[in-house]
Amino acid sequence: MTITVSSDYKTSKGSLNNIIDGNRTSYWGAQDAQTAGKSITFSFSGPVTFKGMTAVSGSANGTQILKGTLLQVSRDGSSWKDVGSFDGQLTSMISGINEHRVIAVRILWNSGNNKRLAFYEAGLDYSEEYAYRKVDGIWIPIQAAYRKRAAGWVETKDLSDIQNENLIERGTE
């Protein structure tokens, strides 16, 4: 997974990877205030089923929290769908989402709160999808998968079988 921020969002402290390092004492700090249009994007290496996010932000005095933000998902990296918003708490959770073929998740500020952000941890709840492959920049469903058996390569077109197997061990068509 890679993390990027919009070009107008500058770092004051820490690495962006602190947001997903599993350590709630390290954080990424913004240099400037949270304002409409700024964003933090989490990009996956392949399609996932996205289920939700828990975000830990804020300073000891209760400021510098995620506030005025939308949680969005994208299947193509350019069009976005709103799936929730953060409530301005030190720990905020958005769950119950079941979006398939997601390649990126974004936190987008739709309003400002004149506070810089201290973002400690983002727990993204997702599962990888193995029944897609990228062709000419577009993710398409795998039509069939093959597995090596004693008698040779055996083909399956059963989607659940394809999703439950490790595609690295076989070819795709």
Side-chain angles (χ1 to χ4, degrees):
M1 175 183 329
T2 58
I3 306 171
T4 55
V5 293
S6 55
S7 61
D8 61 344
Y9 217 178
K10 307 295 182 222
T11 297
S12 169
K13 179 168 179 158
S15 162
L16 279 171
N17 285 327
N18 288 347
I19 297 172
I20 58 170
D21 67 359
N23 180 352
R24 289 191 177 193
T25 61
S26 65
Y27 69 95
W28 174 80
Q31 180 176 322
D32 45 352
Q34 302 173 61
T35 56
K38 292 185 184 300
S39 65
I40 298 174
T41 303
F42 303 84
S43 300
F44 303 101
S45 58
V48 302
T49 297
F50 183 71
K51 300 171 186 174
M53 179 188 282
T54 300
V56 180
S57 64
S59 58
N61 65 5
T63 62
Q64 296 180 276
I65 54 178
L66 283 170
K67 188 174 181 181
T69 60
L70 296 171
L71 181 62
Q72 300 178 317
V73 297
S74 177
R75 290 186 174 102
D76 61 9
S78 60
S79 58
W80 297 89
K81 176 183 177 183
D82 297 348
V83 293
S85 60
F86 289 102
D87 58 8
Q89 301 297 313
L90 290 174
T91 300
S92 298
M93 181 169 36
I94 299 172
S95 61
I97 301 167
N98 196 29
E99 290 287 330
H100 299 280
R101 295 178 62 186
V102 169
I103 63 166
V105 174
R106 167 171 89 171
I107 299 172
L108 175 70
W109 277 261
N110 61 351
S111 66
N113 68 6
N114 295 323
K115 300 286 183 186
R116 290 186 277 171
L117 175 64
F119 201 156
Y120 285 86
E121 200 64 34
L124 284 80
D125 185 6
Y126 66 94
S127 59
E128 294 180 358
E129 294 181 6
Y130 293 103
Y132 298 91
R133 67 184 175 128
K134 201 170 195 176
V135 176
D136 297 327
I138 299 171
W139 288 98
I140 61 170
I142 294 174
Q143 300 300 311
Y146 300 89
R147 185 174 196 151
K148 185 136 178 134
R149 303 277 188 199
W153 288 96
V154 177
E155 178 183 38
T156 180
K157 291 189 178 193
D158 181 311
L159 181 60
S160 62
D161 185 39
I162 293 169
Q163 288 177 324
N164 291 326
E165 294 294 329
N166 183 348
L167 293 177
I168 294 171
E169 294 181 6
R170 56 193 160 154
T172 59
E173 92 175 16

